[in-house]
């Protein structure tokens, strides 16, 4: 077995592990008992309890999604993971810039944030 074939085999297994783990989590999580516990507690007015059937449907959609991920070819799976990684990086960049602007507004500076060198230092030191 050549090195390239071994790497491809390891990659194929490694890319499919998250969907197997999701299947296991969904299998072990009992949605109906979760909502029964909420109903018995004082959280009856909880918005999560109002969407009980939506959560049940999403539970089954999770099963279907995991099975689809298991059957995707490796090239499509790599593309999907790259799209997810890109979305997470964009979200993280958005959150960091939002926190930066909020911290500068809380400090009282109202000018252009990038022109004030002290504002960048304050943000970097937090």
């Amino acid at each position: 077995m050549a090195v390239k074939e071994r790497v491809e085999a390891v990659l194929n297994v490694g890319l499919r592990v998250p969907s197997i783990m999701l299947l296991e989590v969904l299998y072990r999580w009992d949605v109906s008992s979760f909502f029964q516990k909420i109903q018995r507690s004082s959280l009856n007015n909880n918005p999560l309890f109002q969407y009980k059937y939506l959560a049940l449907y999403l539970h089954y959609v999770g099963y279907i999604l995991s099975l689809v991920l298991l059957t995707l070819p490796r090239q499509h799976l790599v593309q999907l993971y790259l799209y997810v990684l890109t979305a997470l990086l964009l979200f993280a960049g958005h959150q960091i810039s939002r926190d930066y602007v909020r911290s500068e507004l809380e400090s009282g500076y109202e000018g252009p944030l990038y022109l004030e060198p002290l504002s960048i230092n304050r943000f970097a030191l937090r």
Side-chain angles (χ1 to χ4, degrees), residues 10 12-14 25 28 44 50 64-65 81 95 97 106 109-110 118:
V10 169
N12 199 15
V13 170
V25 167
R28 291 179 184 259
N44 276 340
Q50 296 172 358
I64 294 169
L65 180 68
Y81 285 151
Q95 293 296 330
S97 65
E106 288 173 1
Y109 183 70
E110 295 182 7
L118 292 177

Side-chain angles (χ1 to χ4, degrees), residues 32-44 49:
S32 59
S33 69
F34 173 72
F35 283 108
Q36 286 174 359
K37 288 178 186 176
I38 290 177
Q39 187 177 15
R40 279 185 255 136
S41 71
S42 63
L43 300 174
N44 276 340
F49 184 68

